[in-house]
Amino acid sequence: MADLLILTPQVDADVLPALGLLSHRVRQIPAQPAALVGAPNADAILVDARADLAAAKTLCKILQTTGAGSPVVVVLTEGGLTAVNAEWGIDDVILATAGPAEVDARIRLVIGRQQRDGDGKSQLIRASGVVIDEASYSAKVNGRTLDLTYKEFELLRFLATHPSRVFTREQLLSEVWGYDYFGGTRTVDVHVRRLRAKLGDMDALIGTVRNVGYRFTEHDPAELAAAQDTTERAPARGVDA
C-alpha cells in the first residue's frame, strides 16, 4: 500500500476511478504551485492532465525544478498522450480509464524504480516547501536556492529532519557543532537569526519555544503565521564564536 498525492484542478474529482478499487491511501490538493508548499509527503505524485495539458506540464516542470523527491505520474486522456515528451520531466503516464491491475502495476513500478535508483545515494529532504539535497549541500525554499554557510545548512538539515521536535540550544550545539566545540549557546541564536533572514517570508518555519529552544514548524503557509502566536523570536546577539 502506497501513499499517493493527486494534484488536480478540481479537488474531490474522480481523477483515476480505478484507485477506488485499490488499497492505496490517496490525498488530493489543488493543482496550483502555491499548494505545493507544505504538501504532504507521498510515495508518488499523480498530476491530473485530463482537462488542461499546458497547466499540467507547467506544474510538472515546477515539481522537477523544486526537487519533488517523489516520482511523478501524469494522468491523461488518450488524446493527451501525443502532447507528452521529455520536457515534462515526469516518470510515467497513465490513462484515466486504466483498470485497477494496470494502475497498481504502474504505481508499484514507478516507486520501485525510485527506490532502486536511490540505493546508496543521499535522499532529498522535503518539508513545508523546503527541499534539502544532502549530496550537493544545497537547499531551496519554494524553488529559490538558499545561500547558506556550512553550519547554516547543517542546522536547517538537522531541524528539518526532526519536524515539530523541540531542541534546546545545548542539544543543537552538540548535534550541529559537536561535543568538542567550546563556544557558547549564543552561537545557536545567531545562526538561527541568520537562517531565518535567508528563509525570507518562510522564516516562521524555525519556531522558538519560550524558555526551551527551537523547532522546525511543519505547517502549511496559512498556519505559519498563527504558529508565531505561540513562539517568540530569539533576540539578535553577537556571535559568540
Side-chain angles (χ1 to χ4, degrees):
M1 182 169 63
D3 288 309
L4 306 178
L5 180 64
I6 297 179
L7 308 182
T8 175
Q10 185 179 352
V11 176
D12 295 329
D14 201 4
V15 178
L16 197 56
L19 283 176
L21 302 174
L22 300 172
S23 60
H24 302 299
R25 290 183 292 265
V26 180
R27 297 184 64 178
Q28 293 188 6
I29 63 173
Q32 300 171 357
L36 299 178
V37 180
N41 292 330
D43 297 313
I45 298 173
L46 279 62
V47 176
D48 181 4
R50 297 172 301 162
D52 192 336
L53 288 167
K57 179 179 180 180
T58 298
L59 193 61
C60 290
K61 295 179 75 171
I62 291 174
L63 288 169
Q64 181 185 35
T65 301
T66 58
S70 301
V72 177
V73 180
V74 170
V75 181
L76 296 157
T77 63
E78 188 168 359
L81 286 173
T82 57
V84 181
N85 54 40
E87 294 180 1
W88 285 58
I90 59 176
D91 298 279
D92 204 350
V93 297
I94 191 166
L95 291 177
T97 54
E102 180 181 350
V103 170
D104 193 51
R106 287 186 180 275
I107 290 172
R108 285 188 287 104
L109 288 170
V110 77
I111 293 174
R113 283 196 298 269
Q114 188 203 41
Q115 292 174 343
R116 179 197 63 200
D117 294 343
D119 286 345
K121 300 179 182 179
S122 297
Q123 298 295 308
L124 293 177
I125 300 169
R126 297 179 68 249
S128 300
V130 175
V131 179
I132 299 171
D133 187 342
E134 295 179 293
S136 63
Y137 280 88
S138 63
K140 295 181 179 180
V141 58
N142 293 338
R144 174 175 60 87
T145 300
L146 300 175
D147 183 16
L148 303 178
T149 66
Y150 175 74
K151 287 301 181 187
E152 289 166 354
F153 174 86
E154 287 294 302
L155 180 60
L156 178 62
R157 183 193 63 79
F158 181 77
L159 290 172
T161 52
H162 302 86
S164 301
R165 181 177 171 183
V166 180
F167 292 93
T168 66
R169 291 167 175 81
E170 290 77 11
Q171 286 175 316
L172 290 173
L173 200 64
S174 173
E175 294 289 345
V176 178
W177 278 263
Y179 287 103
D180 57 348
Y181 181 72
F182 294 103
T185 56
R186 286 185 299 171
T187 299
V188 177
D189 295 331
V190 172
H191 280 75
V192 167
R193 175 169 56 85
R194 291 174 177 171
L195 183 55
R196 281 175 171 155
K198 293 180 180 181
L199 286 170
D201 58 3
M202 296 290 284
D203 61 345
L205 284 171
I206 310 298
T208 306
V209 180
R210 183 176 300 182
N211 299 325
V212 182
Y214 298 104
R215 67 180 175 189
F216 187 91
T217 308
E218 193 172 36
H219 289 296
D220 61 40
E223 293 174 326
L224 285 175
Q228 286 300 90
D229 293 340
T230 59
T231 61
E232 67 172 4
R233 300 291 181 84
R237 299 176 181 174
V239 177
D240 183 65

